[in-house]
Amino acid sequence: MQIALLGYGTVGHGVVKIIESQATEQLRRLHVSQIWVRPEKVDQNPLFTADYQEILANDKIDTIIEVLGGLDPAYAMITDALKHHKNVVTANKAVVARHLTEFTTLARQNHVKFYFESSVGGGIPWIINLERALRIDQIDSIHGIFNGTSNFILDEMMETGAPFDVVLAEAQRRGYAEADPSADLDGDDIENKLCISASIAYDTEIKPNDDLLKFGIRNITAADVSFFKKHHWVVKLIGRSFRRDNRYNFVIEPTLYAPGEIEAGVHQNYNYVGLRGTTIGKLSFNGQGAGELPTAHALIQDLLDLELHMEHLTRNFQQELELDNNSKLLDYVIRSEQDVASLLSDYEVKKEEHDYWIVKQISAEAAHELIQQLEQTEKPLLAAISQQRS
Ligand code: HSE
């Protein structure tokens, strides 16, 4: 298989490194023929070109790997590749979350494949197993720790008691965080990954949008961590979606677990992703959600599926579902200087030390609405209490 790579950053290097290792018989079937880079870099390597039309016109190249990240120029380049009858394999969660239906349709129309295993969960074989479960089951729940940087930050804060800023700087030093860490801290990266996962699971189109509930970890302080520890809670930034009949919820928020729960044992920058299906029940995966070689590994698994003619599940994304973040109730911890009990007079609310309020049986929508209101004057905290414990 002759491949062209779009981009030569960390993951691109990883792809070339693994393919050039020729470590297995399967890897020896793959050849990187050209690498598209910005014009100023072209002289650095004989495989480099800045001329995408040259790659598209090269009939020997049957597959394009897109590892540029971001929407521009990735969206246009993927579209062009599919229209030129080239398979596309990508790690780009932002572009997949927004254009999955379009890319899937274009690939079908042009008799090629569009695979994106590495866009969710890095090296974890998540998409392939989600699709595999869907060959038999209805999947009604997706949930997990989809972002390594936020997990590293929370884990370090829990382990060392260090303040947020210090731990964020360490995550950046280790290369875990995105160039702009906002996506890791505010849940946008998880939103992309959960949109992709839930769209496949429910065979519907869920794109990032303002109605999806998102609250990140930016406001978590060392004092919050110490409060959680007193309650024997471990805090994790969780993405979860649950479908019942034609309704689904979609929530990203810090969540508190008892030490024995699986999520509590996911340390450092590891990811944990899981589903619940009609016959398989609960199924989950734990592994490296980012990084040069794990992400490249997942990309190359897609290449080998193409090379070995292993077809992935076909989805149309045409189910019509309604977003409903109001039906499911959980207990929440809210930290606020304001009188949360009077703001939530319809709920059972208990005040704990300092500014912590335990709110019983409130919907995610109502809890997030309150936090948006509080955010106008302070930096409040919101954390759901895991249902297993409550
Ligand atoms: N910044 C992401 C993370 C990279 O920390 O998980 C992988 O998508």
Side-chain angles (χ1 to χ4, degrees):
M1 171 185 271
Q2 301 284 336
I3 300 147
L5 211 56
L6 308 184
Y8 199 51
T10 307
V11 177
H13 272 102
V15 169
V16 172
K17 210 183 275 180
I18 295 176
I19 292 178
E20 284 185 349
S21 76
Q22 307 250 302
T24 63
E25 186 200 320
Q26 284 83 352
L27 285 173
R28 289 192 280 277
R29 294 168 177 237
L30 307 177
H31 303 280
V32 177
S33 309
Q34 285 191 297
I35 301 174
W36 181 86
V37 293
R38 307 272 174 190
E40 60 274 16
K41 293 190 177 161
V42 165
D43 295 340
Q44 294 172 9
N45 184 317
L47 292 182
F48 285 180
T49 175
D51 184 354
Y52 191 40
Q53 294 309 318
E54 185 195 343
I55 292 177
L56 293 175
N58 185 342
D59 288 338
K60 291 200 184 105
I61 292 174
D62 47 36
T63 301
I64 304 282
I65 305 183
E66 185 272 310
V67 281
L68 295 162
L71 301 179
D72 180 32
Y75 167 74
M77 292 180 95
I78 291 173
T79 305
D80 280 349
L82 294 169
K83 286 183 179 166
H84 281 79
H85 312 288
K86 314 249 184 234
N87 302 306
V88 173
V89 171
T90 180
N92 184 338
K93 57 232 163 175
V95 82
V96 177
R98 284 158 187 84
H99 301 287
L100 180 54
T101 310
E102 191 182 339
F103 292 153
T104 304
T105 308
L106 258 184
R108 197 174 300 148
Q109 284 167 351
N110 289 284
H111 311 289
V112 288
K113 304 294 178 199
F114 174 71
Y115 291 168
F116 46 91
E117 176 63 65
S118 53
S119 64
V120 185
I124 299 173
W126 165 242
I127 301 289
I128 195 75
N129 281 300
L130 173 60
E131 291 178 345
R132 211 174 147 76
L134 283 160
R135 297 194 300 188
I136 298 173
D137 279 6
Q138 176 167 311
I139 307 291
D140 61 19
S141 170
I142 301 280
H143 117 275
I145 298 168
F146 289 88
N147 181 269
T149 304
S150 53
N151 200 54
F152 174 81
I153 292 172
L154 295 177
D155 192 50
E156 282 287 296
M157 288 180 80
M158 291 290 301
E159 293 289 320
T160 65
F164 179 85
D165 290 346
V166 170
V167 181
L168 169 61
E170 177 60 15
Q172 287 175 306
R173 197 188 63 76
R174 292 184 184 212
Y176 297 156
E178 302 285 314
D180 172 3
S182 309
D184 296 306
L185 306 180
D186 300 330
D188 302 344
D189 180 68
I190 300 177
E191 182 183 24
N192 288 333
K193 293 167 178 172
L194 192 56
C195 279
I196 298 169
S197 305
S199 294
I200 296 170
Y202 312 151
D203 201 9
T204 192
E205 187 175 71
I206 306 173
K207 295 184 182 191
N209 73 79
D210 289 344
D211 293 332
L212 306 177
L213 299 182
K214 241 185 326 178
F215 187 75
I217 61 166
R218 220 179 255 283
N219 294 352
I220 291 189
T221 64
D224 296 333
V225 167
S226 147
F227 175 76
F228 297 152
K229 277 187 182 167
K230 272 185 217 158
H231 282 265
H232 304 288
W233 283 322
V234 178
V235 62
K236 297 287 170 191
L237 184 59
I238 294 291
R240 60 183 167 87
S241 176
F242 169 78
R243 183 247 319 252
R244 181 172 292 158
D245 303 324
N246 66 341
R247 288 162 181 265
Y248 71 99
N249 71 0
F250 190 112
V251 186
I252 295 158
E253 62 194 5
T255 305
L256 301 167
Y257 292 92
E261 293 179 63
I262 299 181
E263 292 82 350
V266 180
H267 296 294
Q268 295 285 302
N269 64 328
Y270 273 76
N271 280 195
Y272 164 84
V273 282
L275 58 83
R276 194 173 57 222
T278 28
T279 68
I280 193 73
K282 279 186 171 182
L283 178 67
S284 57
F285 302 84
N286 177 227
Q288 278 289 346
E292 178 190 8
L293 295 177
T295 311
H297 176 110
L299 274 163
I300 293 173
Q301 291 287 8
D302 276 346
L303 292 178
L304 290 173
D305 284 356
L306 288 166
E307 172 65 18
L308 302 171
H309 304 289
M310 293 167 70
E311 294 247 348
H312 291 190
L313 187 76
T314 306
R315 303 256 91 183
N316 295 312
F317 308 107
Q318 303 234 311
Q319 290 281 337
E320 296 216 354
L321 301 183
E322 199 180 317
L323 182 65
D324 171 11
N325 282 315
N326 241 326
S327 303
K328 195 172 163 62
L329 307 181
L330 285 177
D331 294 352
Y332 278 82
V333 173
I334 290 174
R335 173 181 37 74
S336 169
E337 294 155 7
Q338 297 176 54
D339 182 3
V340 167
S342 68
L343 292 170
L344 292 177
S345 51
D346 292 344
Y347 298 87
E348 185 187 335
V349 181
K350 192 171 88 183
K351 182 158 194 211
E352 296 229 349
E353 59 181 89
H354 304 299
D355 294 328
Y356 295 100
W357 307 82
I358 313 284
V359 183
K360 297 275 183 190
Q361 297 302 291
I362 183 170
S363 73
E365 188 157 293
H368 283 242
E369 252 171 44
L370 171 71
I371 213 81
Q372 275 174 12
Q373 191 182 329
L374 300 174
E375 271 181 321
Q376 290 170 11
T377 53
E378 57 175 320
K379 290 186 175 172
L381 173 76
L382 167 95
I385 302 176
S386 145
Q387 206 170 26
Q388 289 106 300
R389 186 189 162 89
S390 60

